Amino acid sequence: MTELRSEPSVTADERAMLEGWLDYHRQTLALKCEGLDDDQLRRASVPPSQLSLLGLVRHMAEVERIWFRKVLVDDDQGPIYFSEADPDGEFHPTPADTWGEAYGTWQAEIAIARRNAEGFALDDVAKAVHRRSGEAPSLRWLYTHMIEEYARHNGHADLLRERIDGATGY
């Protein structure tokens, strides 16, 4: 696998560090998918789980959209892959679903997330509320949560990738 990541500076200010670690984890997920074909990316390789690398990428596109659009700027565009009929639809890719589409959608949501976050200071609160707490989170909270979300799913991606072709890495 090609090294696509760069760690943030160890002396960066808080915002640069948070954005740097978020980008690092975004890059890690892309790295875990590198070099695999669509069939491999759709493969649920750790039974009985139905989780796949393509499902994780689609999930993170949804997560980027929810937090940086729906919550941060109160722009609810609706879900990309899930629905009321299939609330975990992002994790259920079909043979017609491709890496090209999922990757493009994910990268588009990341670009929108970056643009939307530019207008906020770390202490600024979102324009909408967190669905569980009922509170508007700060941008600092959103960044921290997203780093946690990616880190957790990158652990899943490690296991999925190793089961597909034996590739490991950190």
Side-chain angles (χ1 to χ4, degrees), residues 84 99 120 125:
E84 282 189 35
W99 169 250
F120 288 77
V125 296

Side-chain angles (χ1 to χ4, degrees), residues 10-164:
V10 296
T11 58
D13 65 34
E14 183 182 12
R15 185 174 188 133
M17 196 164 295
L18 288 168
E19 290 173 347
W21 280 111
L22 179 53
D23 283 340
Y24 176 86
H25 282 289
R26 288 167 170 156
Q27 294 161 359
T28 298
L29 183 54
L31 180 67
K32 294 298 170 184
C33 298
E34 182 184 60
L36 298 176
D37 63 30
D38 287 344
D39 287 335
Q40 290 170 312
L41 290 164
R42 284 189 295 267
R43 186 179 305 157
S45 61
V46 185
S49 172
Q50 294 181 6
L51 195 61
S52 68
L53 289 167
L54 190 63
L56 284 175
V57 168
R58 288 162 39 118
H59 174 66
M60 293 314 299
E62 293 280 14
V63 170
E64 295 273 359
R65 177 178 277 219
I66 289 167
W67 288 110
F68 289 105
R69 281 193 190 202
K70 183 176 181 179
V71 175
L72 187 62
V73 298
D74 198 19
D75 176 23
D76 188 357
Q77 294 292 311
I80 305 166
Y81 301 109
F82 68 86
S83 65
E84 282 189 35
D86 188 1
D88 292 322
E90 69 267 35
F91 293 118
H92 304 139
T94 69
D97 293 313
T98 67
W99 169 250
E101 183 282 325
Y103 181 80
T105 299
W106 178 43
Q107 293 305 302
E109 290 301 326
I110 289 170
I112 292 166
R114 287 183 178 127
R115 274 195 313 274
N116 288 346
E118 285 175 0
F120 288 77
L122 290 176
D123 289 329
D124 290 346
V125 296
K127 296 184 187 277
V129 297
H130 185 289
R131 69 181 170 87
R132 288 189 298 267
S133 74
E135 297 179 88
S138 68
L139 179 61
R140 178 183 287 105
W141 187 94
L142 283 175
Y143 279 152
T144 304
H145 172 68
M146 290 297 292
I147 291 165
E148 174 274 327
E149 180 94 9
Y150 271 101
R152 181 166 33 98
H153 289 313
N154 284 337
H156 299 136
D158 283 337
L159 296 172
L160 293 166
R161 179 63 190 252
E162 186 173 7
R163 292 285 295 160
I164 291 167

